[in-house]
Amino acid sequence: LHDGWLYVGESNGIGRIRFDEESGQVSGAFEHIVDDFTDDGLHTTKTLGFGPDGWLYVAQGSSCNACIEKDERRATIMRMQPDGSQREIYATGLRNSVGLDWAPWDDALYATENGRDLLGDDLPPDELNRIEQHAFYGWPFVYGAGVPDPDLGAGHAAEAARAVTPVHAFRAHHAPLGLAFLRGPNLPAGYSRTALVALHGSWNRSQPDGYKVVALDWQPDGSIVERDFLTGFLDDAGVLGRPAGIAQGPDGAIFIADDYAGVIYRVVPATGS
């Protein structure tokens, strides 16, 4: 939602329609402000977010597991004006950054990152990246802290040298999707510099792992500590749910979409209602 519009990320573009937040009603025609994105192969979703600068940011995943893209807009974060004009590639080398949000204390942009598959149970780590304009984040040539990709890393020393190291590593195949920084004056103790991340869970590990929501806490020295926030999506009976999207309501309640069980959970402090 932005300036009276509801924006929708589609696999091949971006649309918007007039929206009244008070009544929940749309009006007028649905218009496409972008209609030429590619959606072939893997990772066809487009994640949208408006930055503090008023620009519309869009994350596009790669078309493949590990390859050199034909469409330079894939595996990037782009930005544009709210009407779709002045489109530009903002950051590259991001295989699949489904979640993006801005830290409320300094407006820095962060994005989750799903690492490549087929390197075993424990490689590569999934990532949280601090996104800077014109920066390159490694895919498909390196992963993690500059580790060369076994298939595409050879002969790309220059790209490896400029690849930005993640600010936080998740376990391999945890598949971090939704990302939301907690905001507001009435946050519970211990959540003043915290982001929640939905770990969708592994589909290709010998032992399933992930399947939970974690809290990332920024420490005074800038380091990040990960802790469990919402668990129970995986037990001895198997997978019960897969967290995907996260949003915080105006009353501080947290909404978590589960695209396996087909439900949305609402989470409030124990003293809330």
Side-chain angles (χ1 to χ4, degrees):
L1 299 175
H2 182 74
D3 283 350
W5 293 94
L6 170 66
Y7 286 78
V8 180
E10 301 178 293
S11 67
N12 61 357
I14 301 171
R16 67 179 184 175
I17 190 168
R18 285 292 182 184
F19 183 78
D20 186 318
E21 294 187 42
E22 293 297 323
S23 67
Q25 299 296 310
V26 298
S27 61
F30 185 83
E31 64 175 272
H32 285 93
I33 62 170
V34 177
D35 62 5
D36 63 348
F37 283 159
T38 54
D39 59 1
D40 56 307
L42 305 176
H43 310 138
T44 61
T45 63
K46 309 296 190 270
T47 299
L48 308 181
F50 274 93
D53 55 8
W55 288 69
L56 172 60
Y57 289 73
V58 53
Q60 303 186 70
S62 67
S63 66
C64 59
N65 179 40
C67 69
I68 297 175
E69 294 284 358
K70 295 179 180 178
D71 182 347
E72 66 175 1
R73 301 169 300 177
R74 296 294 288 269
T76 71
I77 292 175
M78 298 182 65
R79 74 171 184 175
M80 63 194 72
Q81 289 296 317
D83 63 358
S85 63
Q86 299 182 50
R87 280 189 262 167
E88 63 183 23
I89 295 174
Y90 190 78
T92 59
L94 296 160
R95 179 178 177 270
N96 191 26
S97 291
V98 175
L100 69 164
D101 198 7
W102 288 261
W105 55 87
D106 63 1
D107 291 340
L109 173 58
Y110 290 85
T112 57
E113 172 78 343
N114 286 231
R116 62 159 295 177
D117 299 312
L118 307 179
L119 295 183
D121 279 358
D122 300 314
L123 290 174
D126 288 333
E127 302 174 358
L128 180 75
N129 289 298
R130 190 180 192 275
I131 305 299
E132 301 283 356
Q133 189 172 15
H134 305 312
F136 171 68
Y137 290 86
W139 185 88
F141 307 119
V142 299
Y143 62 79
V147 180
D149 182 273
D151 296 327
L152 294 167
H156 292 280
E159 290 90 343
R162 67 186 181 92
V164 178
T165 298
V167 296
H168 180 72
F170 302 96
R171 291 186 64 183
H173 313 303
H174 271 189
L177 298 187
L179 166 69
F181 283 93
L182 299 183
R183 295 170 166 84
N186 299 314
L187 293 173
Y191 287 92
S192 62
R193 291 169 65 94
T194 297
L196 300 182
V197 177
L199 301 183
H200 201 227
S202 58
W203 62 267
N204 59 347
R205 293 187 86 255
S206 57
Q207 294 294 324
D209 201 3
Y211 303 96
K212 59 185 175 180
V213 178
V214 296
L216 301 182
D217 300 315
W218 269 251
Q219 306 301 303
D221 64 358
S223 62
I224 299 172
V225 174
E226 178 181 331
R227 57 184 164 123
D228 287 351
F229 178 79
L230 186 64
T231 62
F233 297 97
L234 177 69
D235 66 10
D236 293 340
V239 176
L240 304 176
R242 303 190 75 183
I246 301 179
Q248 186 180 15
D251 62 352
I254 296 159
F255 296 89
I256 299 167
D258 176 344
D259 66 1
Y260 182 89
V263 299
I264 296 175
Y265 302 97
R266 179 175 180 266
V267 182
V268 297
T271 54
S273 60

